Amino acid sequence: MKSGTALIYDEEMTKYKLLWVDPACKIEVPERLTVSYKALEENGLAQRCVNVPVRQATDAEILLAHSEEYLEAVKKTPHMTLEELMTFTQQYGDVYFHPNIYHCAKLAIGATLQLVDSVLTGKVRNGMALVRPPGHHSQRSAANGFCVFNNVAIAAHYAKKHHNVKRVLIVDWDVHHGQGVQYSFEDDPSVLYFSWHRYEHQDFWPKLRESDYDSVGKGKGAGFNINVPWNKVGMENSDYLSVFFHVLLPVAYEFCPDLVLVCAGFDSAIGDPEGHMCATPDIFAHLTHLLMSLAGGRLCAVLEGGYNLTSLAQSVCQTVQTLLGDPAPQPSELIGPCESALESIQCVRAAHKPYWDCLKHAEAPPISEPSTKRCKQTEGEGHGKAEDGEKEEEKEEMVVWQESPSRLVPPSRTAAVLPAEVKPLEGCDLLEPSLAPAADILQTLRNNLLEKSVDEGSLKTLYSVITLFEKMKKNEIRNGLALVPHVPVAISCAVKHAAESLTNRVLVVFVGEEDVTTYSTEEGKMLFVQISRRQSGEQKSQYKVSVCLKKSPPEDQRDVAGFMHAVLGLLLPLAYEYDPGLVLLARSPGCGVGEAAWAQLTSLLQGLAQGHTLVLLQVGEEKALRGTAASLQGDPVPSLGPLGAPPPEDVEAVERQRQRLQTSWKLLQTTAISEK
Ligand code: Q9C
Ligand code: ZN
């Protein structure tokens, strides 16, 4: 089984710096790497990674994305005088050269390729390369924006050439547009490039027309370039997650990459002097987690920007800790996207509607002109906080944020409750059903389940489910799995217990047709989401959501594209905004969800509630046991294969619920209120 996280770093890459005065370049300092690596060591993360050495890139590798003339020119820089270096530098934008930068740039590519090799040969599952200089701005024949060679673009070409990789997804979460990557793959449908970036109606560096949402790729590559321009600063966690739920993830699942490369710049985090965004470092745990379900978990993160050393180090730690498989922290304060973000989301979805089945139903754009032509709005930040009018060049404001609490890793990852005749699951701790249930709890169970005649054995199993619940609450176990005699009864029972034991916010996700008695609990203590094939009556509560997907004969598998459409566009946004303390995931026999789609759902939901997921399967569903357990234990999730169009009935069903709920749950929104 492929496991392990590679970390690739070499101090040699700290050995170049700016040798003259240049305000545009002074933020790109060697300490960016040393503080990041030191933080990884101090948090015990570096020690848990597989240490892979860097190497130098060869000329042939550099030439995968650059011209011979440019390579030959850069080759001369180690021998230049200071004055010659300054002159050489001047032909490019916002970059500097140093006698040792060519050497470091070759190591930065080499580190990236070592990472790609380690992941694609199965030596590790995923990994991160901490490199300088960064790469995503550099172009075929030009250095730019602190970048000399395009590390990630070279890596994508390399993976295709040397590892039989057919489709590569590049996710650029740096706050700047990686125009170099865009240019490299503009007409190439085998590489899907996604970038969000500070844009401000083309006022923000690199101020390119082609960074707007309407640059979708060219020729055969049309649809394979996705730009999300941020037209205001101050974007928060909600804005980033909204873009993932409503733009990137649906398209990425439809694309079905064999490899995910991340241009992992952290200047998109709070406190960064370039980005001026407000997303906190823990958001990178979630962005990473969400991407880890793609491409069988083959994810390579490569450092790009990030200039606030504190924010950078925290963000790097969040990313690496997630790659290692630790549960993500509970996302803080998801209040929904701001109007400006929604406007961008709506525009991107509309621009890509012709190319992606998952966006076929996307709404018309709110405005027909691109961001550039619209009136420039300088009056405030995305979420409406007042700017103090200070000139940013003169005084860098102090930004403070709460450091995310250290991530709790329970001593046991998965505990299972299984009937005696079922073979134990590898890697799962078996919960002994021999414990004598406390009399009062048994009584409660009996009282609640009176109408069903429950035998002693079933009662004991139900009691064990409650024990799993309690163990998750106490952080003794991370997640649990139980095979129960009757799923709807077990859900009722667990919910009842949760309500009585003052458990905070339980998310119940039930895939199945049966009615589940959910005892009226205090509003909001539980969010119940059912995915069924049976039309249910009118729904009124914002805490009870039922989505009815396409009916098909019982033996048929549910349409995977329709199911994922509901998961990504409805369930995940609801779940994240609700922010549960526990997740109860259950399915009943014949629910029609294929094993791969079920594993995806199980895996995606583990980003919530610090990974506290309790899965209930019904006796008779033994064949789903091993896959579910593997997913709970963090094994790579198999990909679903490229998805086709979701059935129109499914799209409609999801849409109905989104319309009903989006005023209460703002992460469901995909459209701006009005033209501004
Ligand atoms: N106010 C990367 O993040 N512009 N490059 C600096 C100073 C250049 C960013 C303007 C920013 C380059 C990899
Ligand atoms: Zn950047």
Side-chain angles (χ1 to χ4, degrees), residues 69 105 503 654:
E69 304 84 275
T503 302
V654 169

Side-chain angles (χ1 to χ4, degrees), residues 145-452:
F146 315 150
C147 304
V148 175
F149 298 130
N150 204 313
N151 309 319
V152 168
I154 292 171
H157 285 297
Y158 178 90
K160 281 176 54 185
K161 186 162 173 202
H162 296 282
H163 291 283
N164 193 34
V165 157
K166 296 278 176 275
R167 290 178 301 272
V168 183
L169 168 65
I170 301 178
V171 177
D172 190 336
W173 70 43
D174 186 282
V175 86
H176 300 96
H177 181 215
Q179 82 277 40
V181 184
Q182 172 168 315
Y183 301 154
S184 211
F185 301 106
E186 236 162 356
D187 53 12
D188 183 350
S190 69
V191 178
L192 170 57
Y193 177 61
F194 166 93
S195 173
W196 61 37
H197 34 268
R198 182 171 169 190
Y199 194 55
E200 293 173 291
H201 308 279
Q202 212 185 318
D203 272 352
F204 188 69
W205 189 91
K207 306 190 176 190
L208 302 170
R209 175 64 186 85
E210 62 269 30
S211 305
D212 209 352
Y213 59 81
D214 57 347
S215 292
V216 296
K218 297 176 173 163
K220 284 202 162 96
F224 295 89
N225 191 86
I226 305 182
N227 285 330
V228 181
W230 299 126
N231 286 316
K232 287 191 177 183
V233 295
M235 294 300 164
E236 299 182 356
N237 293 352
S238 289
D239 303 298
Y240 288 10
L241 282 177
S242 288
V243 170
F244 263 53
F245 295 145
H246 300 299
V247 180
L248 176 59
L249 292 175
V251 172
Y253 272 92
E254 186 172 338
F255 178 64
C256 188
D258 305 308
L259 173 69
V260 178
L261 300 176
V262 181
C263 286
F266 298 103
D267 39 18
S268 45
I270 191 161
D272 192 274
E274 272 287 295
H276 287 255
M277 297 300 173
C278 295
T280 50
D282 55 283
I283 200 62
F284 296 103
H286 293 280
L287 304 185
T288 304
H289 176 85
L290 291 166
L291 295 177
M292 280 166 70
S293 300
L294 293 158
R298 287 179 291 269
L299 188 156
C300 300
V302 182
L303 184 68
E304 297 282 357
Y307 307 101
N308 175 316
L309 298 181
T310 312
S311 179
L312 169 65
Q314 289 177 9
S315 302
V316 167
C317 287
Q318 291 290 340
T319 304
V320 171
Q321 192 166 3
T322 307
L323 290 176
L324 281 163
D326 285 357
Q330 282 188 228
S332 40
E333 285 165 67
L334 297 176
I335 51 159
C338 68
E339 272 304 296
S340 176
L342 274 174
E343 205 174 276
S344 297
I345 288 168
Q346 188 173 357
C347 288
V348 183
R349 283 167 56 93
H352 280 274
K353 190 180 162 130
Y355 310 105
W356 299 99
D357 285 335
C358 60
L359 299 176
K360 264 200 178 125
H361 64 290
E363 318 69 14
I367 315 113
S368 42
E369 313 91 81
S371 312
T372 316
K373 302 237 181 72
R374 269 182 263 152
C375 67
K376 314 223 158 158
Q377 299 165 335
T378 48
E379 77 277 8
E381 309 198 340
H383 285 264
K385 282 172 304 278
E387 283 241 280
D388 57 11
E390 210 75 55
K391 288 240 170 58
E392 68 179 66
E393 284 78 22
E394 286 165 16
K395 178 171 156 268
E396 211 36 79
E397 72 279 37
M398 275 286 277
V399 183
V400 289
W401 64 94
Q402 188 126 45
E403 186 174 353
S404 38
S406 61
R407 289 154 68 165
L408 279 180
V409 185
S412 160
R413 169 117 190 184
T414 306
V417 170
L418 302 171
E421 64 277 12
V422 174
K423 247 193 20 232
L425 294 164
E426 206 187 318
C428 285
D429 297 322
L430 218 52
L431 192 82
E432 285 304 325
S434 60
L435 310 156
D440 58 326
I441 296 198
L442 273 184
Q443 196 51 50
T444 314
L445 290 182
R446 276 215 173 80
N447 292 346
N448 291 326
L449 304 165
L450 221 53
E451 65 282 21
K452 310 243 189 289

